[in-house]
Amino acid sequence: MFQDIQRSALIEAAFRALPRAYAPYSGFHVAAALLGESGTVYTGVNVENASFPAGTCAERSALNHAVSEGEKNFRAIAIIGGKHGKITTYCAPCGVCRQALREFCDPKEFLVILARTSDDYIEKTLDELLPMSFGPDDLV
Ligand code: THU
């Protein structure tokens, strides 16, 4: 069961990570905090590259960080982002990140929290953001 305190902890973790975003080309700074089934929180930031397509979104940075640490099932992710690190709007995950997250969760249970502050957020399930998704079970 996901609790208010876990949501706040995730959003605060994303805010702590935000200064580490590397976005010299777009100037759009993004941070994500991903909650694993174990209770561990993994953060990630966007990491851009002079060869633009080589850049990575914050959500996939967090996911790759977590999977590299051995966690493979997730409950929720908080995402914040804004131009020059100023959070004024809700930052929605791109389509590639939605699909990447789909691999490691139950989309009807996994929560995506788009935050502006700890108590100003939009919360959706991954299934709402990526309906009729394709996942590991489809290949069994
Ligand atoms: N970006 C993310 O990291 N996550 C999102 O949800 C949306 C976009 C990054 C990619 C790129 O570094 C910058 O934001 C502008 O697209």
Side-chain angles (χ1 to χ4, degrees):
M1 179 73 178
F2 194 71
Q3 293 164 339
D4 284 351
I5 191 160
Q6 290 174 293
R7 185 186 304 101
S8 305
L10 277 186
I11 295 171
E12 285 162 20
F15 270 97
R16 282 196 298 278
L18 190 62
R20 299 194 287 270
Y22 179 73
Y25 305 107
S26 71
F28 193 85
H29 295 218
V30 186
L34 181 64
L35 177 65
E37 213 170 59
S38 69
T40 304
V41 173
Y42 303 88
T43 57
V45 295
N46 57 334
V47 182
E48 297 186 346
N49 191 280
S51 175
F52 293 0
T56 307
C57 291
E59 297 87 331
R60 274 174 292 145
S61 290
L63 186 61
N64 293 345
H65 173 194
V67 175
S68 301
E69 295 289 330
E71 188 107 38
K72 286 194 187 64
N73 292 292
F74 303 99
R75 296 268 186 248
I77 190 168
I79 305 164
I80 58 171
K83 200 83 184 165
H84 310 304
K86 266 186 73 98
I87 311 303
T88 56
T89 57
Y90 304 106
C91 179
C94 77
V96 175
C97 288
R98 293 176 199 205
Q99 181 64 36
L101 291 164
R102 167 67 181 86
E103 185 74 14
F104 300 101
C105 68
D106 174 348
K108 292 207 183 293
E109 298 292 328
F110 184 83
L111 298 175
V112 181
I113 302 155
L114 314 179
R116 295 204 301 185
T117 69
S118 286
D119 44 28
D120 178 359
Y121 57 85
I122 295 171
E123 190 169 279
K124 302 277 187 192
T125 65
L126 185 61
D127 190 60
E128 289 176 293
L129 298 181
L130 190 70
M132 289 186 67
S133 61
F134 188 84
D137 290 352
D138 291 298
L139 293 179
V140 174

